[in-house]
Amino acid sequence: MTPQSPVAAAARRDRRAVLFGVIALTSLAWLYTIHLAWQMEVMAGPMTMPAPRSWDAVELVLLVVMWIIMMVAMMMPSASPMLLLYTKTLGARVAAPAVLQRSALFVLGYLAVWAGFSLVAAALQWGLHGAALLSPIMVSSHALLSAGLLIEAGVYEWSPLKQSCLRRCRSPLGFLLTEWREGGLGAFVMGLRHGLFCVGCCWALMALLFVTGVMNLVWVVAIAVFVLIEKISPMGDRIARLAGILMAGYGLLMLAGMARG
């Protein structure tokens, strides 16, 4: 067996360290999400369900934190191929100590975008709660809202913006070739850019959590798996379009049912 060069061995260690970090971060986020989902299930009991009320500042902050951690759990697996390829490419360009630092900055930039999305999602949830359009367990309580979100998500799967963002997310090598930037700031900006493409790809799918239940663990997992499949499957773009037809079709059926009712 040919011994590895010191550079190759260091690059291999860096990739392992980054992969371990991603697994650890994702696992912690999923554990917290599962814990919150279990708490929500306990609260859903008929004897313990609190009456709807306004949220205070602390609850709003916790709501934002909940969305951020849930986005980490749902999105880090699908971002891993991009991050690992970035780390591998760095290993051939910079000294070993800088690889982990810049990989961390890339992740920080990526998650900063999803943190911004979480602020918007929490604000939207606050507004829907204030308008009595969400149940106490954070599920849409109005069929028109549910149908509208389903149709919007379905139509968006066919939109040029969705398809453009999905192509960027599905091609880590293409992203590196067109978006490469040097230095620590460059790593952070690349993470931001990749995060923007991912938000552009997935925001409408995340909005469906208001239909299925923001803390409905089954649907949180289902959407996360779907995001992963459409990004890494060879037929991901076709799967996205098929899912769009199904989502929009179900939304239209809901509207038809309301009209008949």
Side-chain angles (χ1 to χ4, degrees), residues 52-53 55 63 67 120-136 138-142 144-146 149 207 209-211 214:
R53 59 179 179 80
W55 294 329
L63 182 65
W67 273 97
V120 175
L124 177 60
Q125 185 173 341
W126 183 20
L128 292 174
H129 175 83
L133 293 175
L134 292 181
S135 73
M138 297 185 283
V139 179
S140 170
S141 57
H142 199 291
L144 185 59
L145 172 63
S146 298
L149 289 173
L209 290 172
F210 291 118
V211 179
V214 172

Side-chain angles (χ1 to χ4, degrees), residues 2-147:
T2 303
Q4 284 187 324
S5 69
V7 174
R12 187 179 181 87
R13 287 196 300 271
D14 289 336
R15 291 197 298 274
R16 286 178 174 174
V18 169
L19 180 59
F20 176 80
V22 169
I23 292 173
L25 179 63
T26 305
S27 298
L28 289 173
W30 273 113
L31 286 173
Y32 185 77
T33 301
I34 291 169
H35 172 69
L36 288 181
W38 175 80
Q39 285 188 323
M40 189 63 61
E41 186 176 347
V42 171
M43 289 175 58
M47 300 301 295
T48 59
M49 175 57 67
R53 59 179 179 80
S54 299
W55 294 329
D56 59 29
V58 173
E59 288 172 316
L60 290 175
V61 171
L62 291 176
L63 182 65
V64 174
V65 171
M66 178 201 77
W67 273 97
I68 292 174
I69 293 176
M70 188 164 62
M71 292 303 100
V72 172
M74 297 176 73
M75 296 307 302
M76 280 306 296
S78 65
S80 297
M82 175 72 253
L83 177 59
L84 292 174
L85 182 59
Y86 175 67
T87 302
K88 181 179 180 180
T89 306
L90 277 176
R93 297 172 65 95
V94 300
V99 174
L100 294 181
Q101 178 191 47
R102 294 188 190 178
S103 296
L105 287 170
F106 185 98
V107 172
L108 186 61
Y110 179 80
L111 295 182
V113 176
W114 280 105
F117 171 85
S118 298
L119 286 170
V120 175
L124 177 60
Q125 185 173 341
W126 183 20
L128 292 174
H129 175 83
L133 293 175
L134 292 181
S135 73
I137 57 171
M138 297 185 283
V139 179
S140 170
S141 57
H142 199 291
L144 185 59
L145 172 63
S146 298

Side-chain angles (χ1 to χ4, degrees), residues 166-188:
L166 181 58
R167 282 194 298 271
R168 297 295 189 98
C169 292
R170 284 170 51 80
S171 178
L173 180 59
F175 177 86
L176 292 182
L177 290 174
T178 58
E179 300 289 341
W180 186 268
R181 290 167 171 81
E182 299 291 349
L185 179 60
F188 182 77

